[in-house]
Amino acid sequence: MQKYDVVVIGGGAAGIVAAISAKQKGRSVLIAERMPRLGKKILATGSGRCNFLAEKLDSSFYNKEARETTESVFRRFGREDMLRFFGELGLAYYSEDGRFFPVTDQSSSVLGVLEMELRRLQILSECHCEITGIESLSEGFRLISKSGKSIACSRAILCGGGKSYPALGSDGNAFTLAQKLGHRIIEPVPSTVPLIVKDPWCHALQGQRIQAVVTARVGGEKIASAPGELLFTKYGLSGTAILDVSEAISIAIHRDHAPDVSVSVDLVPFLGREELKEELSRRLAKGIRAEGLILGLLPQKFSMPLSQLLLEGNVERIVERLKNQEFRIDGTRGWNEAEFTAGGVDLAEVDAETLESKLRKGLYLAGEILNVQGARGGYNLAWAWASGTVAGMNA
């Protein structure tokens, strides 16, 4: 049976840097990865450009339950440390709209410099190695692969990811491993995910994009709000504004089983209610009717779902609809379309300073397997870099 100081389970973003960090401490390290290659999910980030970090990085960009832990981890490996780390690896980067990208605009450049460092440090990796069992020994762990192979280690770092994009390697198996060692899992739900809406508007406006402000509500109470792009699809709603409120909606639907979940949309956020009322009244006074009332304010495609209202010419009702169009949410799209996972190993069971399990000495956890959910814009990758490094330096 092979024996290592540290085995990293999962060769994604967190796993790769965890291995580098542990090797720099003089440990013998193996990365066990179930996919044919390391870092497949890195290649898909940022639409292939890899937005690998945000200019402003602090705990306020993460779910409330994670703020103490993220603050602690970022104190040990923060934004400047991450930029220095990638700079020393040879990655040239630039900043755009508060986000960092490689100058090549290719995710493969980020993965490439990480792989080059793995080779330089002679870190071993074994692909097609899915760890399905983990047993505590008197000193360390015995890991069992799907093929039946056993691997012994003094310390293990669980970096198997969440459940989003299972085709890229995150299938939820890491949660099962954590549970086998006694950890509680906060129910994982799809996050940063399009929404299912059965509404005639979605059919009539399929493919239409506008800038809007979206407010999510449960039982009429506001739970989240975001400006950005709104995209109407054949199944419902998508776009950046929807993705930014989807975590709260997904938790309400899938975890809390809330019966009344909706979004209200401000279709013309560039005009206040009184300004819009004055503009519509001015047009009516000039004899403009029907679809001419929204010409220049919204794409003409909107005249279809608004036709009856525009024919009536009731300014108050038109203003209400344009500033507060409501859609009942019937569900979310699945894991294949979710960018991130909300939920994971309960942070109360993990040391916030070292990321070592409080239940099993020698077990460390990093990345998306933990109940840490960041905003879009490089925050989840930042957590992967930081948590992987901290777990690796302590393992």
Side-chain angles (χ1 to χ4, degrees):
M1 183 167 58
Q2 293 173 301
K3 176 72 183 289
Y4 298 89
D5 292 331
V6 177
V7 172
V8 178
I9 304 171
I16 291 172
V17 295
I20 291 171
S21 180
K23 184 69 173 184
Q24 288 172 338
K25 291 291 183 179
R27 316 284 193 239
S28 61
V29 181
L30 172 72
I31 302 175
E33 168 56 46
R34 65 181 290 265
M35 299 300 285
R37 68 164 299 175
L38 303 180
K40 284 195 73 173
K41 204 168 181 180
I42 295 174
L43 296 175
T45 58
S47 300
R49 293 174 64 200
C50 195
N51 166 206
F52 70 93
L53 185 60
E55 281 192 354
K56 184 179 179 183
L57 182 64
D58 61 57
S59 63
S60 67
F61 293 96
Y62 297 84
N63 54 313
K64 291 180 181 177
E65 306 93 325
R67 289 178 185 170
E68 179 184 349
T69 301
T70 52
E71 280 180 12
S72 173
V73 170
F74 290 148
R75 279 197 298 269
R76 303 196 68 186
F77 194 76
R79 172 185 172 277
E80 293 305 315
D81 299 304
M82 295 177 211
L83 291 176
R84 188 180 307 110
F85 171 75
F86 280 105
E88 290 175 353
L89 293 185
L91 183 73
Y93 52 82
Y94 71 98
S95 174
E96 177 185 281
D97 298 327
R99 305 176 182 191
F100 287 101
F101 296 88
V103 293
T104 60
D105 276 332
Q106 294 180 336
S107 299
S108 58
S109 296
V110 176
L111 180 56
V113 296
L114 291 169
E115 289 178 319
M116 186 167 61
E117 183 69 354
L118 292 175
R119 290 191 295 270
R120 187 185 74 82
L121 294 173
Q122 298 182 320
I123 294 172
L124 299 176
S125 63
E126 190 168 332
C127 294
H128 296 290
C129 182
E130 180 176 356
I131 302 300
T132 55
I134 182 167
E135 299 173 359
S136 292
L137 303 177
S138 56
E139 293 184 7
F141 302 91
R142 183 167 79 98
L143 311 178
I144 302 125
S145 74
K146 190 175 183 179
S147 66
K149 181 178 181 178
S150 291
I151 305 169
C153 58
S154 300
R155 291 167 289 277
I157 307 177
L158 197 46
C159 301
K163 295 184 73 173
S164 58
Y165 292 136
L168 299 180
S170 299
D171 65 349
N173 179 57
F175 295 135
T176 303
L177 294 176
Q179 283 179 311
K180 286 180 179 179
L181 293 174
H183 278 285
R184 173 175 177 257
I185 307 299
I186 307 300
E187 183 183 355
V189 299
S191 179
T192 315
V193 64
L195 304 177
I196 298 171
V197 178
K198 298 172 184 175
D199 190 288
W201 274 56
C202 296
H203 177 74
L205 296 169
Q206 185 176 330
Q208 181 66 62
R209 302 171 186 265
I210 62 168
Q211 292 297 309
V213 173
V214 173
T215 300
R217 301 183 188 278
V218 173
E221 295 295 320
K222 175 181 172 180
I223 57 170
S225 185
E229 182 183 85
L230 174 67
L231 169 64
F232 293 88
T233 72
K234 63 182 179 181
Y235 55 76
L237 300 172
S238 189
T240 58
I242 291 295
L243 298 180
D244 285 342
V245 301
S246 66
E247 178 187 354
I249 288 174
S250 189
I251 290 171
I253 291 174
H254 299 299
R255 196 183 294 166
D256 300 336
H257 307 291
D260 180 18
V261 182
S262 64
V263 294
S264 58
V265 180
D266 183 348
L267 299 165
V268 285
F270 48 89
L271 289 178
R273 282 179 175 266
E274 286 304 313
E275 292 176 299
L276 180 57
K277 182 177 178 180
E278 289 174 8
E279 176 60 23
L280 294 175
S281 298
R282 184 183 68 80
R283 294 186 184 201
L284 283 169
K286 291 173 66 175
I288 296 172
R289 293 289 185 273
E291 63 184 40
L293 290 175
I294 61 167
L295 186 63
L297 300 177
L298 284 167
Q300 282 305 102
K301 210 170 182 179
F302 278 85
S303 63
M304 283 192 289
L306 289 166
S307 59
Q308 186 58 43
L309 202 58
L310 296 175
L311 283 169
E312 292 171 4
N314 185 315
V315 171
E316 294 288 347
R317 290 188 61 202
I318 296 172
V319 168
E320 179 60 26
R321 184 65 61 85
L322 296 185
K323 299 296 288 184
N324 189 33
Q325 172 62 32
E326 292 194 19
F327 297 95
R328 176 185 171 83
I329 308 302
D330 294 291
T332 70
R333 299 291 279 180
W335 290 109
N336 287 327
E337 295 179 49
E339 292 185 25
F340 307 116
T341 301
V345 173
D346 190 344
L347 291 169
E349 300 173 348
V350 178
D351 188 298
E353 293 292 323
T354 64
L355 297 183
E356 184 177 20
S357 165
K358 294 179 180 178
L359 309 182
R360 291 291 186 275
K361 185 173 177 59
L363 176 69
Y364 296 80
L365 304 100
E368 202 173 10
I369 188 175
L370 292 165
N371 184 28
V372 177
Q373 169 67 45
R376 285 186 317 106
Y379 294 99
N380 289 287
L381 269 180
W383 169 247
W385 312 135
S387 61
T389 298
V390 169
M393 69 172 61
N394 286 289

